[in-house]
Amino acid sequence: MFERLDQIAARYEELGEQLALPEIVSDQQKYQKLAKQHRDLQEVVESYRDYQQVQTGIADAKAMLNETDADIRAMAEEELTQLEERLPKIEEELKLALLPKDPNDEKNVILEIRAGTGGDEASLFVAEVFRMYSRFAEQHRWKVEVLSSSESSVGGLKEVIAIIEGNKVYSQLKYESGVHRVQRVPATETQGRVHTSAITVAVLPEAEDVDVKIEAKDLRIDTFCSSGPGGQSVNTTYSAVRITHIPTNTVVSCQDEKSQIKNREKGMRVLRARLYEIEMEKQQQALAKERKQQVGSGDRSEKIRTYNFPQNRLTDHRIGLTIHQLADVMEGRLQPVIDALTSHFNAERLKAETASAA
């Protein structure tokens, strides 16, 4: 492991020197490419340097234990205890940093939220969960753009599809896919009984043209009049677009824009993401080890989380996490949940990697 870390540290220094060269600075395309490589190595190198400093500190503290001065020995013992407690945590960070990166972590995401069981109550919860993710995105300075939405009669959303653009969006949201269950007393309930409803959340990494090749002959594109609010131009012009990918029978509709061209562009972004997800699932199923790691982490048919409003409680069933700050979570303060999920699944990956190496 340490031989590899030395190579990574040397490469990091080399890239830093190259980024200072005038001929690299003047070539923006090359500069951006090298800068990204440099950034990608930074976390590993910083952890490694931290590890080396701790090891040096431990060696120095042990040497000081031979001092004749009692105060110096006591100080050395205290420092040695602190450093030895830190060492296992840094070693764990290094092992995690050396795991293969998820190639999708840097990508934007297509977020799809749909009402499931529960009728009107489920549609209201769709709107609230979309607001929760939008608030979370604001905290990270991500951009949220609605690609398609369908309102319910009670002011909720039957479904909403949006793109979230920003820095490492998929790395933060990739464990949110699944069935989200809500338990509360609906506004329409006259006897105060708690109802259970469910919605589905899908987080798809946005695919670029290079990720998914779509042939024009494989597409059927239909246009129709948009429905819903928007005035006469929306309801009387054929601006809405329905795109069908014939080989997979994947259908995408988009009608939020007044322009047919813009609706088509948005629809193609969603289609690329869905086809990319299909391809990823094929790859995961072909690799038994990888598939095993995915069980319980992103299957949309699985109930992953319960939001219990009467008890102000959120429970993530995959990792046994329960917190009693549901009101805060619904305001977008989702980071503690995201961090707990990331830590859990990283530990699972590390365990699987260690087992396979053995």
Side-chain angles (χ1 to χ4, degrees), residues 84-94:
E84 286 181 337
E85 285 177 357
R86 279 185 63 197
L87 193 61
K89 185 182 177 184
I90 299 173
E91 287 177 340
E92 194 80 2
E93 288 174 358
L94 275 174

Side-chain angles (χ1 to χ4, degrees), residues 5-62:
L5 285 166
D6 286 333
Q7 291 171 353
I8 291 172
R11 177 60 178 159
Y12 180 78
E13 293 297 330
E14 182 187 342
L15 286 167
E17 292 171 5
Q18 288 181 9
L19 287 169
L21 296 173
E23 60 267 30
I24 299 294
V25 174
S26 60
D27 186 341
Q28 275 301 299
Q29 189 174 0
K30 194 165 188 179
Y31 181 86
Q32 293 294 336
K33 183 180 177 182
L34 293 178
K36 184 181 183 306
Q37 291 178 26
H38 192 255
R39 281 195 308 272
D40 290 344
L41 297 179
Q42 185 174 350
E43 184 182 348
V44 184
V45 172
E46 286 179 353
S47 292
Y48 187 36
R49 286 174 178 170
D50 198 11
Y51 174 83
Q52 290 174 317
Q53 286 175 359
V54 170
Q55 286 282 38
T56 301
I58 288 173
D60 291 344
K62 284 180 176 178

Side-chain angles (χ1 to χ4, degrees), residues 175-240:
Y175 299 120
E176 293 300 294
S177 293
V179 175
H180 294 234
R181 185 174 69 170
V182 57
Q183 295 174 327
R184 64 183 175 186
V185 180
T188 54
E189 171 59 53
T190 57
Q191 298 181 27
R193 291 174 299 188
V194 174
H195 287 222
T196 299
S197 303
I199 67 171
T200 61
V201 173
V203 177
L204 316 178
E206 188 189 14
E208 304 294 334
D209 289 334
V210 293
D211 297 324
V212 178
K213 187 176 181 181
I214 301 176
E215 301 282 356
K217 63 181 176 59
D218 291 335
L219 297 178
R220 185 175 69 243
I221 300 176
D222 303 308
T223 57
F224 56 97
C225 294
S226 299
S227 59
Q232 287 184 335
S233 63
V234 170
N235 297 307
T236 59
T237 60
Y238 286 80
S239 59

